[in-house]
Amino acid sequence: MNLPLNGIKIIDFTHVQAGPACTQLLAWFGADVIKVERPGSGDVTRTQLRDQPDADALYFTMLNSNKRSLTLDTKKPEGKKILEQLIRESDVLVENFGPGALDRMGFSWDRIRELNPMMIVASVKGFSDGHHYEDLKVYENVAQCAGGAASTTGFWDGPPTVSAAALGDSNTGMHLAIGILTAIIGRQQTGKGQKVAVSMQDAVLNLCRVKLRDQQRLDALGYLEEYPQYPHGTFSDVVPRGGNAGGGGQPGWVLKCKGWETDPNAYIYFTVQGHAWEPICKALGREEWIDDPNYNTAKARQPHIFEIFNTIEEWLADKTKYEAVDILRKFDIPCAPVLSMKEIAADESLRKSGSIVEVPHKQRGTYLTVGSPIKFSDLKPEITGSPLLGEHSEEVLSGLGYNAEEIARLREAQVI
């Protein structure tokens, strides 16, 4: 298949999650991603949270599909020479080193441009350049807290809560992939490369824009009518934690279904959307609410919202989450079962669409991973196994013009 990014060569100096998520996405779409790793150890996630003692960890395999692995000691002169050649022949270099690491390696932006004026250097950062925390080391939950997500997540009587979704890591990688593709298109117009950077704080903030919206509304009004605290609760001067309330102005909540006493995920999410009020009343057998002035507008319903949710839970008591959703979707009511990771792993629809895929691996056998979340009419990416450490070193060096004798010498000198 002639994939859209065929012909784009990417030097992948990233590790852990944010950067690898970015480069994996580009590899799925055809880019030749060469993951440059330290000889003998490689990406730390190869051994982190292992479930098999002598195989790459799932943490690594699920973030490095479709790539080639080159081991290279860039501290040695011959390693630097190989990297210089790679830079001359590549389109993009992606890194998530600490501040100044590339400069200390001898590959400043000026040096890279000297080697290849069309090179795009893409960086994952914790905070943007010039930020007063720019030297602070950042991980997933640090980013969620710094980006505003944690302060608005959880229940009002509890502490700030981080999300299981990788808002700081994989989300930053997705933003950086967009930046890289934009820079590639820009280069087609100008003939010049450029630097692209996404900070983890900024990527989280970008997903929290509705909470920034709410802060401005709260400043103006002193209350937020779609939050559970309204009208009987109190508001401070900051956006509160809203429990399971929806962020778009439509009241919603997680509600118990049959079996909740023993199954921690026997719940559905139910949204009381304005245009769906009449169907909701019909589905619940509460037609008298349709024209009742205490219920027939969103403003009228808000003081009674938990009474409404309690009524819905009574209706759900003898229905599994799947049975409930099958009934409610016929009424066009926004809802969904709360799915566990075990249920998602076995979901036939997700497997059929390629959102969940089984991938063969030389060490592990078959493992389960995510496929492309982006769907195309004329493209279905094939997800291949992650590379073993240094698996493609000889192949990459041969492509740079090294012969077998030279490659053997480099291996003996522990350059690769």
Side-chain angles (χ1 to χ4, degrees):
M1 185 183 295
N2 186 26
L3 298 171
L5 297 186
N6 274 350
I8 299 294
K9 182 179 285 188
I10 297 175
I11 303 169
D12 182 0
F13 262 118
T14 69
H15 53 282
V16 190
Q17 185 176 167
C22 167
T23 52
Q24 177 176 253
L25 188 70
L26 301 176
W28 285 346
F29 301 151
D32 177 15
V33 176
I34 301 171
K35 187 174 179 72
V36 182
E37 301 185 76
R38 191 175 303 161
S41 56
D43 190 321
V44 67
T45 59
R46 284 186 181 271
T47 57
Q48 199 168 7
L49 304 175
R50 265 180 168 161
D51 61 312
Q52 295 183 19
D54 299 318
D56 288 332
L58 287 166
Y59 199 175
F60 178 85
T61 66
M62 296 178 72
L63 286 158
N64 292 281
S65 299
N66 297 59
K67 302 178 185 180
R68 297 196 288 168
S69 173
L70 164 69
T71 48
L72 187 65
D73 187 346
T74 57
K75 293 181 180 179
K76 296 180 178 178
E78 289 181 304
K80 290 185 186 296
K81 180 181 176 183
I82 291 169
L83 181 54
E84 286 179 354
Q85 287 179 265
L86 270 176
I87 290 172
R88 288 190 183 98
E89 297 185 16
S90 298
D91 299 280
V92 185
L93 185 153
V94 190
E95 59 90 18
N96 59 348
F97 295 128
L102 275 179
D103 291 355
R104 292 191 294 273
M105 286 170 59
F107 292 92
S108 66
W109 172 234
D110 286 341
R111 176 58 177 152
I112 291 172
R113 281 194 299 179
E114 182 183 314
L115 293 168
N116 183 352
M118 297 182 69
M119 174 64 79
I120 293 163
V121 175
S123 303
V124 172
K125 298 178 176 294
F127 295 87
S128 293
D129 287 344
H131 193 283
H132 54 281
Y133 286 153
E134 69 176 333
D135 60 344
L136 190 64
K137 195 171 184 66
V138 177
Y139 292 110
E140 172 64 52
N141 292 349
V142 175
Q144 289 195 33
C145 291
S151 71
T152 57
T153 303
F155 285 84
W156 43 90
D157 56 353
T161 305
V162 297
S163 169
L167 307 180
D169 277 326
S170 286
N171 168 51
T172 302
M174 301 303 104
H175 278 80
L176 188 62
I178 294 169
I180 290 169
L181 295 175
T182 302
I184 289 172
I185 294 171
R187 186 178 63 185
Q188 292 170 355
Q189 299 169 354
T190 66
K192 296 179 181 179
Q194 62 178 303
K195 291 196 290 184
V196 181
V198 178
S199 84
M200 295 171 75
Q201 182 191 37
D202 288 353
V204 173
L205 174 59
N206 191 40
L207 296 191
C208 290
R209 67 182 68 182
V210 296
K211 299 301 181 179
L212 186 59
R213 171 206 68 188
D214 291 348
Q215 183 62 55
Q216 295 171 86
R217 293 171 54 231
L218 181 63
D219 291 342
L221 301 172
Y223 63 90
L224 297 167
E225 64 183 23
E226 78 279 15
Y227 279 65
Q229 291 86 339
Y230 180 86
H232 304 300
T234 58
F235 288 85
S236 71
D237 62 349
V238 298
V239 174
R241 291 183 274 284
N244 289 315
Q250 305 294 341
W253 210 252
V254 172
L255 303 177
K256 300 171 184 173
C257 295
K258 180 181 178 181
W260 67 270
E261 298 91 342
T262 56
D263 180 356
N265 294 299
Y267 291 81
I268 67 168
Y269 194 85
F270 191 105
T271 304
V272 182
Q273 200 163 20
H275 75 267
W277 179 242
E278 184 173 335
I280 289 171
C281 295
K282 290 180 178 178
L284 299 176
R286 299 301 294 262
E287 285 87 348
E288 69 274 14
W289 279 356
I290 294 174
D291 297 316
D292 187 328
N294 290 315
Y295 297 95
N296 64 359
T297 66
K299 188 172 184 178
R301 285 191 293 273
Q302 190 60 33
H304 309 288
I305 196 65
F306 283 102
E307 172 195 335
I308 293 169
F309 288 141
N310 288 337
T311 299
I312 299 170
E313 275 197 341
E314 292 172 5
W315 180 83
L316 292 167
D318 63 349
K319 301 171 185 66
T320 68
K321 61 187 179 185
Y322 298 111
E323 291 169 342
V325 170
D326 281 343
I327 293 169
L328 296 170
R329 65 181 181 170
K330 294 173 184 175
F331 290 87
D332 199 26
I333 296 169
C335 63
V338 173
L339 296 177
S340 68
M341 284 296 113
K342 189 176 184 69
E343 289 167 313
I344 284 174
D347 190 294
E348 291 183 8
S349 294
L350 292 175
R351 286 174 177 252
K352 184 177 180 181
S353 69
S355 299
I356 294 285
V357 293
E358 291 187 6
V359 179
H361 187 268
K362 292 180 177 67
Q363 292 174 326
R364 300 188 59 89
T366 299
Y367 68 95
L368 198 65
T369 189
V370 296
S372 174
I374 305 167
K375 312 301 181 188
F376 302 87
S377 62
D378 296 328
L379 165 65
K380 187 171 183 179
E382 178 188 357
I383 310 301
T384 62
S386 61
L388 303 182
L389 180 61
E391 180 179 350
H392 303 95
S393 294
E394 293 184 13
E395 181 179 286
V396 172
L397 292 176
S398 294
L400 294 175
Y402 287 80
N403 60 38
E405 184 178 331
E406 291 170 322
I407 292 171
R409 180 178 56 78
L410 290 169
R411 193 176 296 282
E412 185 177 351
Q414 298 183 328
V415 175
I416 62 172

